[in-house]
Amino acid sequence: MGSALPSGESVPADGSLPSGTVVDDATDFGVYLHVPFCRVRCGYCDFNTYTSSELRGARQDEYTDTLLREVAFAERVLSGLGPLRPASTVFFGGGTPTLLPPGDLARMLDGVRGAFGVHDGAEITVEANPDTVTDAVASELAASGVTRLSIGMQSAVPHVLAALDRTHAPENVATAVAAARSAGLDVSVDLIYGAPGESLDDWRASLEQAVALESDHVSAYALIIEDGTKLARQIRRGEVPAPDDDLQADMYELADDLLGAAGLDWYEVSNWSRGAEHRSRHNLAYWTGTDWWGFGPGAHSHIAGTRFWNVKHPAAYAQRLASGETPAAGRETPDAAARALESVLLRTRIREGLPVAELLGEGRHAVAALIADGLVEGGDAVRGRIVLTRKGRLLADAVVRALTE
């Protein structure tokens, strides 16, 4: 089960947003659908997910009906703020969404379509474990309106997968990609680097396999050790080594080299795509601060400046909705200073960068030093914007500190 929810103010039982909330019709609206089920728990994962033994009072076969109750609940809440906006993006995340039958995912998508509408040309993504994707599954998802499959490859090397407690067969990644391609879906593969025992050559093998798959998009994330996970306990007991920062930096540079040479350009610190049309529009919405509603236990939402998050356990989530009560556990409305800080944190990570004009005074004074240190691009091509160099991407946290202290 995932990390603790943030603290915040209580949410009215009817889920109404703070008085005076004004929704901007011009702001895109995204939908996140959380499917919190996994066959096994990976040792590094702190997402809000549950194996069958952890459900305690919730049923996987009833989950779609439960989530659709929240869709109807959100429709009532947002209808009180003006005309409903159709979804520009829909993202099924987890957990493992493809543990549910494709028909269940189609019903969720139909519920979103019926409540809010979905834009023509909307990006509709499903995350998938490679072992769960067949030709039939991919075809059913495509027929329901899904446009993109995000496949959890993580590594092509068996001992690295074992270190991460990933149970899928490496060869099934290619099978899943082929099934998605046959169904006409865009394909993204997700990688993790820096696992215990992973060498630079291991990582090269994974990158080369990802390139050989000719995917449209690759996400490559450095392994982060989260408190409370099995891997954190193993490291604390000295059973496995902690990630090596220098090795992870070398791995990042290797990823940028190999992916770039294969025609995949970085557009966010940990994401590369084969042209702008294959960028993850849903994730870009998070990084640029648009609106979205997250459905499911533990899911987070952002509407017109207010953030709120649902209770974590599927049983508590189902009970709240069955009683007609909001599943939200808390909310917050950050002030202008907090929003400015978050904007720097998120928008410096993307290719287009952050306008210097949006920095507070002290942050603007830091720009020249960051350019001199080779962390931020300079020159006329990017004048007036903070755009990270590759060195800056490696030290993104340091850049953010310099711009906000």
Side-chain angles (χ1 to χ4, degrees):
M1 288 165 280
S3 55
L5 291 171
S7 58
E9 65 182 45
S10 61
V11 180
D14 65 2
S16 57
L17 290 164
S19 176
T21 296
V22 177
V23 169
D24 182 356
D25 291 342
T27 299
D28 283 347
F29 175 64
V31 167
Y32 173 75
L33 301 164
H34 187 61
V35 179
F37 309 119
C38 285
R39 285 179 179 155
V40 298
R41 177 168 302 286
C42 297
Y44 64 90
C45 180
D46 78 333
F47 293 167
N48 191 47
T49 61
Y50 301 81
T51 62
S52 58
S53 64
E54 297 168 331
L55 285 176
R56 301 192 312 274
R59 289 178 48 177
Q60 189 169 308
D61 61 350
E62 296 177 347
Y63 183 70
T64 298
D65 289 331
T66 300
L67 186 139
L68 288 173
R69 291 191 185 100
E70 188 184 1
V71 172
F73 191 94
E75 181 183 11
R76 291 194 297 273
V77 170
L78 294 178
S79 292
L81 300 176
L84 294 174
R85 293 167 290 173
S88 299
T89 61
V90 180
F91 195 102
F92 290 84
T96 309
T98 46
L99 279 183
L100 294 181
D104 282 6
L105 303 183
R107 285 181 57 213
M108 293 183 199
L109 184 53
D110 282 343
V112 170
R113 196 177 281 118
F116 308 106
V118 173
H119 273 300
D120 290 341
E123 176 193 88
I124 303 174
T125 303
V126 173
E127 288 186 335
N129 181 300
D131 287 349
T132 64
V133 180
T134 63
D135 286 339
V137 166
S139 294
E140 286 187 60
L141 292 175
S144 73
V146 172
T147 65
R148 184 173 179 270
L149 206 63
S150 181
I151 298 171
M153 175 179 172
Q154 316 310 354
S155 175
V157 180
H159 80 83
V160 176
L161 291 173
L164 295 170
D165 288 329
R166 299 289 295 188
T167 59
H168 71 263
E171 60 271 19
N172 284 350
V173 176
T175 301
V177 170
R181 290 288 191 213
S182 179
L185 300 174
D186 273 14
V187 176
S188 175
V189 296
D190 293 345
L191 300 172
I192 293 176
Y193 58 91
E198 182 177 29
S199 68
L200 194 60
D201 284 341
D202 291 332
W203 177 233
R204 182 186 296 275
S206 294
L207 289 167
E208 289 174 345
Q209 178 63 28
V211 166
L213 293 169
E214 298 184 343
S215 53
D216 305 298
H217 183 282
V218 173
S219 298
Y221 297 104
L223 178 66
I224 296 174
I225 306 304
E226 303 288 358
D227 290 341
T229 61
K230 173 185 173 183
L231 187 53
R233 293 190 293 272
Q234 290 175 316
I235 291 172
R236 189 169 59 248
R237 293 192 297 259
E239 297 170 2
V240 297
D244 182 302
D245 290 343
D246 290 337
L247 178 58
Q248 285 191 328
D250 290 342
M251 289 175 164
Y252 183 87
E253 291 186 327
L254 182 60
D256 201 39
D257 286 339
L258 294 185
L259 295 175
L264 292 147
D265 295 325
W266 84 276
Y267 72 95
E268 192 274 341
V269 167
S270 300
N271 289 271
W272 291 257
S273 70
R274 201 175 298 281
E277 68 274 18
H278 294 298
R279 295 178 177 185
S280 171
R281 285 186 270 150
H282 187 83
N283 286 338
L284 279 168
Y286 294 151
W287 296 319
T288 55
T290 64
D291 286 350
W292 69 89
W293 193 296
F295 296 91
H300 289 232
S301 304
H302 174 264
I303 301 293
T306 295
R307 296 191 189 89
F308 47 98
W309 45 89
N310 287 345
V311 293
K312 287 180 57 180
H313 198 277
Y317 172 76
Q319 289 164 4
R320 292 251 192 139
L321 288 163
S323 67
E325 182 181 354
T326 178
R331 73 183 183 194
E332 63 182 6
T333 305
D335 60 20
R339 290 197 302 272
L341 175 62
E342 183 176 87
S343 180
V344 174
L345 177 67
L346 295 175
R347 293 179 64 191
T348 52
R349 296 180 62 88
I350 60 176
R351 185 74 179 245
E352 287 70 21
L354 173 76
V356 173
E358 294 189 15
L359 295 172
L360 300 178
E362 291 304 313
R364 296 185 196 183
H365 297 326
V367 174
L370 291 170
I371 293 173
D373 290 340
L375 300 175
V376 170
E377 293 183 13
D380 292 339
V382 291
R383 189 175 298 280
R385 302 189 76 84
I386 303 297
V387 178
L388 298 179
T389 63
R390 185 160 79 176
K391 180 181 177 183
R393 284 182 269 152
L394 282 166
L395 299 171
D397 290 345
V399 173
V400 170
R401 286 195 298 272
L403 295 173
T404 55
E405 287 179 350

